[in-house]
Structure formats: C-alpha cells, structure tokens
Amino acid sequence: MEFRKLGKTDLNLSAITYGSFAIGGTMWAGSVKKDAQEAILASIDNGITTLDTAPFYGFGFSEELIGETIKDLDRSKIQLLTKFGMVWDGSNKEKGDFMWNQEHEGKTYPIYKYASKANVIKEVEESLQRLKTDYIDLLQLHWPDSTTPIEETMEALQRLIEQGKILAAGVSNYTAQQMLEAQKSISLASNQVPYSMLKRGIESKVIPTAIENEIGIIAYSPLERGLLSGKFFNGESLKSEDHRNGYFGQFNLEKVKSFLESIEPIAKDKQVSLSQLVLRWTTLQFGISIVLAGARNKEQAVSNAKAIEVIISSDEMQFINTELAKLSLNQ
C-alpha cells in the first residue's frame, strides 16, 4: 500500500481508503452486517489503514459497524475519518438547508445540512460513541450549510482540535472560494470531493487552490458507484430501491460502455479488473491525495486494496486519457 501525507497535517493515510457509504445501507437497498464487517477486516488485512464514514450512512449504522469491527484492533494503526452536518431529526427546519426527504427503515426523514457550532459539538460526541474511540483522525463537514457562517463552523472544529477530540479538520463538497474562506479561520486539512474519469470538474479550480494552500484532496466515487467497474453492462441488475437506478442516468451510458471496452484490453493484459485499473488511474492523477473505494464484501475489499499494485505505463496512461478526451467524457 502507498501512504500519503494529508495536507499540512501529520496524518499519513492509505492512498486507497475504505469508503463506507454503501455498507450503511441508506440509498443502497440495505446492508448485510456480516459481509460489511468482513469487508472492513479484509481491507485492513490487505494494507488499507484508513476508513472513511459519516453519520448519515445508515443513520449511524456505518459508524457503529466500524466501531464494533475494529474495537479489538490497534487503534494507533488505523485512521478514522468521519463527517458531520447532515441531520435528520427534523429539529433544524428553520436553520439548516433542506436537502431531501429520505426513506429509512420504513420511515421518511427530512435531511438538512446544518453546521452550527452547537451541532458540530453534539455530532462529534455521538460519532465518538458510535466509533468506540476517544478521538477522530479527520472530522469533515459533509456539505456546505448556507445558514451557518463558515467562520463559526471552523471555530468549532478548531476547538475540537485543541481538546484533542479530533486531530485534523476537513470539509467536503467545498468550492475553491469556500476553501479559501475556511482557511481564514483554520488550517484546513482536506476537501473531500467527487472525482472520477467521468467527473473531473475539480481540476480547473479546486485542485489548483488546494495545491497552492497545501490542502489535501480526497476523491470520492472514483468508480461512479460501480458504473466504471463495467459489471452493470454485463447483466448485473440493481434492486428497485437502489439510488443508482437514477444516479447512472446523468451519464451517457453508451459512451461509458464504449470507453470501458476501449481500455479493457489494458486491464486484461495486466490480469486485473477494470475496477482496479480505474482506481489506480485515479490515485495517479495530479493533486489527488487519497481515493475512497467502497466494498460491501470481502472480495471487493481485497480487489480495491490490490489496485494500488497496478502499474500503468506512460503510454498506457496517454492512451486512457486520449480515449477519455475523444469520447468527450470529461465534465
């Protein structure tokens, strides 16, 4: 495994990090606890030391799963990344930004983006309890909240750093301008943003701003939630309640299929999967610190971890990038 320093922090994170959105079950048509725990342990056994989660993933279930699974392991060798600011108790209707109504275990919950100082303090205590730990390596704001001044949120994070409850503070889904605004109040460790072969918008402003200010970039959805694995073009179906039924609609699926067919010979020649080739490509992109990869079972977890071993030559990289440009997939 490769390890990379995150921004100006002392955190050294695994280049491929375990992403736990799917095992939470929310939006993913459920989760199998045994499979999820095996995926977490297989990730660790194969060199992944960094686990990324959030309270929203399963309404606390993802954090609880991770906490329970690693409770007997050496905590000093594992980095826990979690988030705050997506609330579902309905108490912030006049404060936070409404996102959507989310179905969960037969009930409908209004989801709000809310990042007030009081809420940050409240949520971190809940996350510490669920994760069964006394500190969080990186605490990240999940989404920008227009109803709370950025300065207020960052001051709360700085206080948590001083108290030793978190080691570093980051954000997610921030624009370049929002990153600069946050930097006025805190030394920002990172910005977690969507980035993939099909979604490269951060290359224009976010990445240059991050590099200039020594802020790490954490890429999420590098496989576009499984689309770039190619398996959905080979007959694999999704459950009706799986959010990807709608999510995949944002892409020109015929173009995606053609692109994957064009690079598949490279994967076959290396005896690796398309997923592994795509993940490795993502880790090699300029300005990307670490890449999140979700796994719902042991097999997926092992595959993700071993993607770091894939060697892509300069000629192969040029071919992949040429195919991307030719098919106008960059967004």
Side-chain angles (χ1 to χ4, degrees), residues 177-275:
Q177 186 58 45
Q178 288 169 327
M179 290 164 59
L180 293 175
E181 183 65 28
Q183 279 285 86
K184 295 176 182 178
S185 303
I186 199 170
S187 178
L188 204 60
S190 58
N191 187 10
Q192 184 176 142
V193 282
Y195 182 75
S196 73
M197 287 177 163
L198 309 183
K199 200 173 287 185
R200 300 173 67 180
I202 63 169
E203 292 178 350
S204 61
K205 292 183 180 179
V206 171
I207 287 180
T209 300
I211 292 172
E212 184 178 351
N213 291 273
E214 296 183 76
I215 299 171
I217 290 292
I218 301 175
Y220 74 79
S221 295
L223 293 173
E224 288 302 349
R225 312 190 187 189
L227 182 63
L228 289 174
S229 71
K231 60 187 179 182
F232 298 106
F233 295 113
N234 295 318
E236 182 160 326
S237 60
L238 299 171
K239 293 182 180 179
S240 60
E241 61 268 40
D242 193 314
H243 78 288
R244 290 175 294 175
N245 286 296
Y247 183 85
F248 290 164
Q250 68 185 286
F251 303 110
N252 184 321
L253 297 181
E254 283 302 312
K255 282 190 174 183
V256 174
K257 184 174 185 291
S258 296
F259 167 70
L260 292 177
E261 289 173 348
S262 74
I263 67 170
E264 190 169 20
I266 297 176
K268 286 185 176 180
D269 183 62
K270 298 178 183 299
Q271 297 184 314
V272 300
S273 66
L274 272 173
S275 294

Side-chain angles (χ1 to χ4, degrees), residues 23-25 31-33 36 54-55 57-66 104 130:
I23 65 169
S31 176
V32 178
K33 181 178 179 179
Y57 304 161
F59 288 26
F61 183 59
S62 176
E63 286 186 326
E64 290 172 353
L65 261 180
I66 289 174
H104 180 71
R130 287 190 289 254

Side-chain angles (χ1 to χ4, degrees), residues 1-2 4 15-19 48 195-197 219-226 228-229 259-260 263 267 272-285 288-295 299-312 317 320:
M1 182 55 63
E2 293 179 8
R4 299 178 179 177
I16 295 177
T17 285
Y18 181 77
I48 291 177
Y195 182 75
S196 73
M197 287 177 163
Y220 74 79
S221 295
L223 293 173
E224 288 302 349
R225 312 190 187 189
L228 289 174
S229 71
F259 167 70
L260 292 177
I263 67 170
V272 300
S273 66
L274 272 173
S275 294
Q276 290 174 314
L277 180 66
V278 171
L279 278 178
R280 186 53 171 154
W281 177 92
T282 312
T283 68
L284 295 171
Q285 298 310 296
I288 299 300
S289 303
I290 64 173
V291 175
L292 304 187
E299 292 72 27
Q300 291 175 349
V302 173
S303 174
N304 290 344
K306 291 190 176 300
I308 203 69
E309 300 172 7
V310 177
I311 297 173
I312 304 177
M317 185 66 77
I320 292 171

